[in-house]
Amino acid sequence: MPSCLQQLGAPSGPIAPETVADLRTYLVEVPDPRALRGVRHSWTALLTAAAAAVLSGAASITAIGEWVADAPQRVLALLGFRPDPLTGLIRPPHSTTIRLVLAAADGDALDRAVGRFLQERQDPVSGRRAIAVDGKTLRGSRTKDRPATTLIAAMTHSGQVLAQRQVDRKSNEIPAFAPLLDGIDLTGTVITADALHTQHDHASYLHERGAHYLAVVKRNHPGLHDKVRRLPWHDIRLDHYERARAHHRDEIRRLKTTAFAHLDYPHARQALQVVRWRRDLATSKLTIERIYLVTSLPPGAATGSELAAWIRGHWRIENQLHHVRDLTFREDASKIRTRHLPRVMAGLRNLAIGVHRQDGHTNIAAALRRTSRDHQRPLTALGLT
């Protein structure tokens, strides 16, 4: 991996336990829809217990219930469960109770709480922060009468999900872009997204919020694509060059940038060309790909290495979030379909992935196994001790 990418994405090391924010102070903002009559367990305690269980690798409601049932009394007390006034013992909630609670939880409110917790928990970021926006369909959530749940997320290039929002089933990701980012401080950030979000309204919105963008230009904008493609790239100097060998292939990436004042895209200041040369080591097949982008960053605001790192770093949302949720948490194979459960479980998985990455873990599966060996470890990570 190029050194510029390692610098942008490397964790700063485990966060000191005494400085970790308390997750419960954020979960209290998630509204409790239950009637007061017959309530035995605290709403916040149930959500916190589910979060701790997922942080330990629980991939289903049954696994969450088993983790809570096995928790010692001191752990249940730290989670916020109340003891029986007669016996003084804490009876853990049944997995059915946990299922009903998570199915009734407001997914938007939970994701806002998780995003604020992760932002408060992380160390200050040096330099300009890059945020990737991308969507994912929860394939296992599809039913006979309802399409699969689609979520759009905003994730830092270092691996923390700052916001997540469900896409209306009768729409697509485009209308959800601005509402997703409304709760994030975007001042000075760089937003990366795929070509679907190369929209004039998105560019204007980001400019108003004080953010910059790197927008991929494809044939869905034929006029803009043709104008950028026809620039005299042969005469423009090279800004960045890198060569790497990974995934059984050699790869060369070349980046050129040029200032261009007459682009038909709001606040665009530069056009970029990325040329990727890939040679498969097994078949010797060579492929060449050219990608064009526009950015609102003025000339000199970022080096060629930084621009290349942000362009390549966008796909970390696939590798560090979607891929991890699919393989490690088996999200697409999950049969959780009841009410808000698919959305809520996705939010809890985002929380677990973000916490482990902030604590310096690059292998999330190994981090989950380590956390599962001690009921105290997820509580420490969530600031409950």
Side-chain angles (χ1 to χ4, degrees), residues 79-341:
L79 289 170
F81 293 110
R82 296 184 291 267
D84 186 284
L86 296 178
T87 65
L89 297 177
I90 301 175
R91 295 180 59 186
H94 193 272
S95 60
T96 301
T97 301
I98 296 173
R99 176 184 293 274
L100 293 173
V101 164
L102 296 184
D106 183 331
D108 283 332
L110 178 63
D111 281 329
R112 285 194 296 269
V114 168
R116 283 195 290 268
F117 171 73
L118 291 175
Q119 290 183 72
E120 180 67 25
R121 191 180 188 275
Q122 69 181 356
D123 291 329
V125 179
S126 58
R128 198 183 292 274
R129 184 171 62 165
I131 298 175
V133 175
D134 196 23
K136 181 181 187 297
T137 299
L138 310 182
R139 304 189 186 281
S141 64
R142 182 181 290 108
T143 67
K144 181 179 65 175
D145 304 317
R146 186 181 63 188
T149 300
T150 300
L151 304 175
I152 182 173
M155 188 194 83
T156 65
H157 282 200
S158 57
Q160 291 88 51
V161 177
L162 303 180
Q164 182 173 261
R165 189 175 183 87
Q166 186 166 340
V167 176
D168 189 282
R169 66 186 64 176
K170 296 181 181 180
S171 183
N172 57 29
E173 297 175 23
I174 294 174
F177 181 87
L180 172 75
L181 298 174
D182 279 342
I184 304 174
D185 181 10
L186 300 182
T187 306
T189 61
V190 174
I191 306 300
T192 62
D194 58 27
L196 176 68
H197 293 291
T198 303
Q199 305 288 334
H200 285 59
D201 289 345
H202 292 0
S204 299
Y205 168 80
L206 293 175
H207 180 76
E208 292 171 1
R209 295 287 312 278
H212 293 283
Y213 58 79
L214 275 168
V216 179
V217 179
K218 290 188 177 180
R219 297 187 185 278
N220 57 330
H221 288 274
L224 179 61
H225 179 267
D226 189 62
K227 183 175 289 188
V228 174
R229 183 177 63 85
R230 292 179 179 275
L231 289 173
W233 293 109
H234 288 292
D235 302 326
I236 297 172
R237 66 178 179 84
L238 191 66
D239 280 319
H240 179 74
Y241 172 92
E242 74 183 52
R243 182 168 188 165
R245 175 172 291 188
H247 306 294
H248 306 289
R249 67 191 182 197
D250 281 328
E251 183 170 286
I252 296 175
R253 290 170 172 261
R254 297 159 56 93
L255 170 69
K256 294 182 177 182
T257 64
T258 182
F260 196 40
H262 303 290
L263 287 171
D264 183 23
Y265 196 75
H267 312 290
R269 299 290 301 277
Q270 296 184 86
L272 295 80
Q273 182 200 58
V274 177
V275 181
R276 299 172 180 165
W277 300 64
R278 292 174 178 165
R279 183 172 66 88
D280 190 289
L281 296 178
T283 64
S284 295
K285 180 181 178 182
L286 177 66
T287 58
I288 302 175
E289 181 183 18
R290 288 178 174 82
I291 299 174
Y292 300 99
L293 306 95
V294 292
T295 180
S296 58
L297 287 163
T303 65
S305 296
E306 289 174 324
L307 291 169
W310 290 330
I311 293 169
R312 191 170 185 180
H314 171 73
W315 301 110
R316 291 187 176 193
I317 196 169
E318 289 286 346
N319 298 329
Q320 295 189 355
L321 181 66
H322 301 163
H323 187 72
V324 172
R325 279 176 20 195
D326 282 344
L327 268 65
T328 304
F329 287 102
R330 304 185 300 279
E331 185 169 81
D332 277 356
S334 173
K335 299 303 180 183
I336 296 175
R337 301 187 179 99
T338 307
R339 298 180 65 193
H340 303 154
L341 274 178

Side-chain angles (χ1 to χ4, degrees), residues 56-90:
S56 300
S60 66
I61 301 298
T62 301
I64 293 175
E66 291 171 349
W67 185 90
V68 175
D70 290 340
Q73 290 287 299
R74 58 181 176 81
V75 169
L76 294 174
L78 287 171
L79 289 170
F81 293 110
R82 296 184 291 267
D84 186 284
L86 296 178
T87 65
L89 297 177
I90 301 175

Side-chain angles (χ1 to χ4, degrees), residues 29-49:
E29 300 174 11
V30 181
D32 183 354
R34 301 175 298 175
L36 294 178
R37 183 177 181 181
V39 170
R40 175 179 296 177
H41 300 290
S42 162
W43 174 259
T44 303
L46 290 164
L47 294 178
T48 306

